[in-house]
Amino acid sequence: MNERDAALKALEWYTDNGVTEVLESEPQDKTIKIPDSFEGLKEATPDPGTFKANIPPETMPKKPSAKTESDLISSKDARAEAENLVKEASTLEELRKAIADFEGLSVKKTALNMVFCDGNPKAKVMVIGEAPGADEDKQGKPFVGASGQLLDKILGSIGLSREAETPDEALYISNILNWRPPGNRTPTPAEMSIALPFIEKHIALISPDILVLVGNTPMKTLLNTKEGIVKMRGNWHDYQPVSDIGLKLDKPIYALPTFHPAYLLRNPKQKKTVWADMLMLNKKRIELGISKA
Ligand code: URA
């Protein structure tokens, strides 16, 4: 690998681990200067045939290691612990505390703040995203960055707001993961599985009439499907709890998958598709008597 590629790899490794902020106004060259003379180069590199850039080994990206048996067992244990914890949580505050105390998700260690919810807990419409990003991590609130502002506009177009006091106009917002994954990576299947009892208990405590699932991660996790968002959006789905924590719904919960606002920021042409989803959402609210039309 040449020096440039090695430096790029190291940078990629930093980004993957959430080191995305420049803390000093001037960049600093922390690499050891490569001597320009051939003599010096020979000294610095005992075998010129295997010359490598002088990047400290601890900053070099490590190949993702294959999952060991103990990793798999520990995700299973973490999921079992999450299931036990939620069984004991009967209020939102108890659930928030259970998640805050839970040590089974490594994303907790790299995040700045836990992101539990925003909006009105009496809302009839609950929005579920994937995981906090950098802005959400700083503020401890879901969907407060650029994609959150677009989400507010989209839902505002049919009269829904996280600030509304009346349950029919209100929104309640949370995410599958309550901690920002390093570098905003997509949550892994193991993380989604471990977090599932928490979000399912969260849904049960809010007891909304409608779930809006933004993007693939909440849709796949909560509708227990391998299908992609393109196939699943545009239709209503019957939400049924997936995890085995004894949740019984006392009414139907209608789930509407739609595109994630971050995707819309990159593909503005798809906004019309989401507008069609919002019209469906509004029609359902009217049918359920939770919108004035
Ligand atoms: N994207 C999400 O899925 N959730 C947030 O809270 C922010 C961005």
Side-chain angles (χ1 to χ4, degrees), residues 23-123:
L23 296 178
E24 294 179 52
S25 51
E26 293 295 317
Q28 291 192 23
D29 184 359
K30 298 254 170 92
T31 61
I32 300 160
K33 199 131 181 72
I34 298 169
D36 338 47
S37 76
F38 180 64
E39 276 316 300
L41 191 61
K42 253 173 53 185
E43 261 168 44
T45 56
D47 173 9
T50 57
F51 172 76
K52 289 203 175 73
N54 276 323
I55 291 175
E58 65 274 17
T59 65
M60 287 297 286
K62 292 191 185 74
K63 273 202 194 141
S65 55
K67 279 244 170 274
T68 62
E69 187 69 10
S70 67
D71 285 334
L72 296 176
I73 291 165
S74 75
S75 334
K76 243 166 119 187
D77 287 350
R79 165 69 183 253
E81 195 192 328
E83 287 177 0
N84 284 336
L85 282 172
V86 300
K87 282 181 194 154
E88 285 158 26
S90 51
T91 64
L92 283 177
E93 267 325 298
E94 284 170 5
L95 180 64
R96 185 198 290 266
K97 183 165 183 329
I99 298 172
D101 292 346
F102 180 63
E103 299 295 340
L105 280 165
S106 62
V107 280
K108 175 180 175 181
K109 295 188 177 62
T110 46
L112 293 174
N113 285 301
M114 173 173 148
V115 176
F116 184 65
C117 71
D118 196 20
N120 182 343
K122 296 202 169 79

Side-chain angles (χ1 to χ4, degrees), residues 78-87 95 99 102 176 191-204 221-222 239 242-245 247:
R79 165 69 183 253
E81 195 192 328
E83 287 177 0
N84 284 336
L85 282 172
V86 300
K87 282 181 194 154
L95 180 64
I99 298 172
F102 180 63
I176 294 291
E191 287 166 344
M192 294 188 227
S193 162
I194 295 167
L196 182 64
F198 293 126
I199 189 64
E200 294 217 292
K201 186 65 180 241
H202 208 155
I203 296 168
T221 312
L222 293 168
Y239 166 70
V242 184
S243 55
D244 193 14
I245 50 171
L247 294 174

Side-chain angles (χ1 to χ4, degrees), residues 115 129-133 136 141-145 147-148 173-175 214 260 262:
V115 176
E130 176 176 298
E136 291 76 20
K141 272 190 184 182
F143 282 106
V144 290
S147 65
I173 308 182
S174 191
N175 280 307
V214 291
H260 195 287

